[in-house]
Amino acid sequence: MTDLFEHDPVMVDEITALFDSVPAGTVIDATLGGGGHSHALLTRRRDISILGIDQDADAIAAALERLSEFADRVRTSRRRFDEIPEAMAEHGITEVSGALFDLGVSSPQLDRAERGFSYRNDGPVDMRMDDEQQWSAHDVVNGYDRNDLARIIRQHGDERFAKRIADAIVAARPIETTTQLAEIVTTAIPAAARRTGGHPAKRTFQAIRIEVNSELDVLPTALDQAVEATVPGGRIAVLSYHSGEDRIAKQRFTVAAGACDCPHDLPCVCGAIINVRVVRGIPKRASAEEQDRNRRSKSALLRVVEKTEPTPKGIA
């Protein structure tokens, strides 16, 4: 099982350094995956424990195996990451020292053809993070009308040929396999545009995966929950791989930092509360060396905030 989930965690050195200063206690790994980031954090900080959250039962099993040497400092919860209070209550945890969100799909999930995430390996059109969920990519690809397909491909995938791709998908139904879908998408994109930017189907597969798993819908709630649960001095870090994810992280962190509509030259009177300070206002990217070594890191953006004592903005 572990071999299936062995992968190079993105920006692991940067992440562990950012958590060097957090208070002793529990750190939430809200997207546990194979446990790569958690392993690094547990190795570096002997005074922290991990609460790992993941929808994928295989990921949790692999992570527990990988983290077995730290068994007394690892707890897990199989659920979506917008259920942080429930995961904490499950283990009697009342506050945490920080949280990490490594968004998107993990390399091991992409590599397992039967999960249906990959445009390179043949498998069913599935893409469910939680394999007990009934709704799948098959329902989206074969059930959405042309306008809805074009909308999600454009919004979730930043795909400029969304309408052409949606037309091609509708015309080719029923679509049963990932390689069939990838070929349909590739053919719908003009030949000149296929020559740059990686695999032509990448953005469409990303968009369908985000739709199936409601990833953008639940992210704002999850980030707000993480901020609420974290003690002063703790940190919340977000690794995003898509402009929509990064936009949501920036917006929720801006609100948590006390953003309001009051005039800048007058005291705040709207009741805004400063709950965090922004550690990384401009998102950090992986080093060139890491991008060469780990293709998943190429699009990664890292944003970080640190929890503060709640302060009314007008007296900050």
Side-chain angles (χ1 to χ4, degrees), residues 31-136:
T31 47
L32 181 61
H37 285 111
S38 287
H39 190 279
L41 289 168
L42 290 164
T43 300
R44 187 154 169 150
R45 288 286 303 270
R46 295 185 179 183
D47 58 349
I48 68 167
S49 60
I50 292 290
L51 172 58
I53 301 174
D54 207 294
Q55 298 182 75
D56 190 331
D58 290 343
I60 289 177
L64 286 173
E65 184 177 343
R66 184 173 191 174
L67 303 175
S68 59
E69 64 186 290
F70 308 108
D72 60 333
R73 292 195 281 144
V74 177
R75 287 161 285 185
T76 63
S77 182
R78 185 184 179 190
R79 59 180 73 245
R80 287 193 330 194
F81 58 48
D82 64 330
E83 299 176 280
I84 286 175
E86 292 84 352
M88 291 172 61
E90 182 181 339
H91 293 285
I93 299 169
T94 58
E95 59 185 23
V96 298
S97 298
L100 169 63
F101 294 79
D102 183 4
L103 304 174
V105 64
S106 68
S107 299
Q109 287 169 323
L110 286 172
D111 293 340
R112 297 176 62 193
E114 69 272 16
R115 297 299 299 272
F117 290 106
S118 176
Y119 41 79
R120 300 183 187 277
N121 302 317
D122 194 34
V125 182
D126 192 327
M127 304 191 197
R128 293 172 296 167
M129 299 285 193
D130 179 357
D131 60 10
E132 293 184 355
Q133 172 184 306
Q134 296 201 358
W135 183 257
S136 74

Side-chain angles (χ1 to χ4, degrees), residues 156-201:
H156 299 341
D158 298 325
E159 175 56 75
R160 58 185 171 132
F161 300 108
K163 291 182 179 179
R164 293 177 59 144
I165 293 168
D167 285 338
I169 289 173
V170 170
R173 288 171 173 167
I175 299 170
E176 303 295 340
T177 70
T178 52
T179 51
Q180 183 186 4
L181 176 60
E183 179 61 28
I184 291 163
V185 172
T186 299
T187 302
I189 295 174
R194 298 179 211 157
R195 301 190 188 107
T196 59
H199 195 289

Side-chain angles (χ1 to χ4, degrees), residues 116-304:
F117 290 106
S118 176
Y119 41 79
R120 300 183 187 277
N121 302 317
D122 194 34
V125 182
D126 192 327
M127 304 191 197
R128 293 172 296 167
M129 299 285 193
D130 179 357
D131 60 10
E132 293 184 355
Q133 172 184 306
Q134 296 201 358
W135 183 257
S136 74
H138 190 275
D139 298 294
V140 174
V141 169
N142 292 294
Y144 276 27
D145 66 27
R146 180 259 189 192
N147 290 335
D148 282 340
L149 271 176
R151 172 183 55 81
I152 68 164
I153 293 170
R154 181 179 63 255
Q155 291 180 356
H156 299 341
D158 298 325
E159 175 56 75
R160 58 185 171 132
F161 300 108
K163 291 182 179 179
R164 293 177 59 144
I165 293 168
D167 285 338
I169 289 173
V170 170
R173 288 171 173 167
I175 299 170
E176 303 295 340
T177 70
T178 52
T179 51
Q180 183 186 4
L181 176 60
E183 179 61 28
I184 291 163
V185 172
T186 299
T187 302
I189 295 174
R194 298 179 211 157
R195 301 190 188 107
T196 59
H199 195 289
K202 177 180 178 179
R203 290 180 294 273
T204 297
F205 271 64
Q206 171 184 273
I208 295 170
R209 186 207 80 224
I210 288 172
E211 179 72 7
V212 168
N213 297 288
S214 302
E215 293 172 42
L216 299 188
D217 295 337
V218 303
L219 182 56
T221 297
L223 294 178
D224 291 350
Q225 291 173 348
V227 170
E228 176 67 23
T230 300
V231 299
R235 290 182 167 184
I236 300 97
V238 178
L239 276 168
S240 60
Y241 302 85
H242 170 257
S243 62
E245 295 168 343
D246 182 60
R247 191 160 48 244
I248 290 170
K250 179 182 179 180
Q251 193 270 338
R252 296 320 302 163
F253 285 167
T254 300
V255 170
C260 69
D261 295 324
C262 297
H264 293 299
D265 56 345
L266 295 174
C268 174
V269 295
C270 71
I273 302 294
I274 300 172
N275 286 297
V276 303
R277 72 174 184 88
V278 176
V279 177
R280 290 219 61 88
I282 299 174
K284 182 178 179 61
R285 291 188 176 274
S287 66
E289 184 276 330
E290 179 173 359
Q291 290 187 41
D292 288 341
R293 183 186 76 246
N294 183 359
R295 67 185 184 189
R296 186 169 180 255
S297 71
K298 290 181 181 293
S299 59
L301 295 172
L302 173 63
R303 289 187 184 272
V304 186

